[in-house]
């Protein structure tokens, strides 16, 4: 059974930093793209950043220059360094991996449980 476990959320003052992690449990499966999404109260879930297996990244305009996504394929883990945090970054952050299990032809998206990030002004 594949599970994604997130960590690193918390409460921080504006201008501060946090580092999120998301690790996949289990083995013998293939991971393609990874991504972070977030959902603020009363708003739709939005893409924050994504990274391909080869390390190509893409960011939402609102976080460019402040957030950095990275991955460690050997550890099946994704990270996001969040600097210069703003109150509008407050949300539940979710990770997602595209995973293909052995004997399956297609990749399927798996999601973490979410971690709360709160930025105070």
């Amino acid at each position: 059974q594949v599970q994604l476990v997130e960590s690193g959320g918390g409460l921080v003052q504006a201008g501060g930093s946090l580092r999120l992690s998301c690790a996949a449990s289990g083995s013998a499966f293939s991971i393609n793209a990874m991504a972070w999404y977030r959902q603020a109260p009363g708003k739709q879930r939005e893409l924050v950043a994504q990274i391909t297996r080869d390390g190509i990244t893409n960011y939402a305009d609102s976080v460019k220059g402040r957030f950095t996504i990275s991955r460690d394929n050997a550890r099946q883990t994704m990270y996001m360094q969040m600097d210069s945090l703003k109150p509008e970054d407050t949300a539940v952050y979710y990770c997602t991996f595209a995973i293909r299990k052995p004997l399956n032809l297609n990749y399927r998206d798996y999601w973490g449980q979410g971690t709360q990030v709160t930025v105070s002004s």
Side-chain angles (χ1 to χ4, degrees), residues 32-53:
N32 198 353
M34 299 174 171
W36 290 100
Y37 284 75
R38 68 185 179 187
Q39 187 166 20
K43 294 188 176 182
Q44 289 189 329
R45 190 173 296 189
E46 63 174 355
L47 176 66
V48 178
Q50 58 188 29
I51 184 167
T52 69
R53 179 160 37 195

Side-chain angles (χ1 to χ4, degrees), residues 108-119:
R108 188 201 129 182
D109 291 335
Y110 288 80
W111 290 83
Q113 80 283 2
T115 185
Q116 177 70 46
V117 171
T118 303
V119 184

Side-chain angles (χ1 to χ4, degrees), residues 4-117:
L4 302 188
V5 179
E6 303 181 27
S7 60
L11 172 64
V12 65
Q13 287 188 331
S17 298
L18 285 173
R19 188 186 192 220
L20 303 183
S21 299
C22 178
S25 63
S27 60
F29 49 73
S30 175
I31 303 175
N32 198 353
M34 299 174 171
W36 290 100
Y37 284 75
R38 68 185 179 187
Q39 187 166 20
K43 294 188 176 182
Q44 289 189 329
R45 190 173 296 189
E46 63 174 355
L47 176 66
V48 178
Q50 58 188 29
I51 184 167
T52 69
R53 179 160 37 195
D54 297 329
I56 298 171
T57 59
N58 182 48
Y59 297 92
D61 288 342
S62 59
V63 307
K64 280 181 182 176
R66 300 188 298 121
F67 291 11
T68 303
I69 189 172
S70 61
R71 63 190 284 170
D72 184 333
N73 291 330
R75 296 178 185 272
Q76 299 178 156
T77 301
M78 174 179 64
Y79 307 94
M80 186 159 69
Q81 178 67 38
M82 304 187 295
D83 298 320
S84 303
L85 282 161
K86 304 175 181 180
E88 51 263 43
D89 294 318
T90 296
V92 177
Y93 284 70
Y94 298 90
C95 62
T96 179
F97 291 5
I99 291 175
R100 180 172 59 85
K101 290 186 176 181
L103 303 181
N104 287 359
L105 293 178
N106 299 316
Y107 285 86
R108 188 201 129 182
D109 291 335
Y110 288 80
W111 290 83
Q113 80 283 2
T115 185
Q116 177 70 46
V117 171

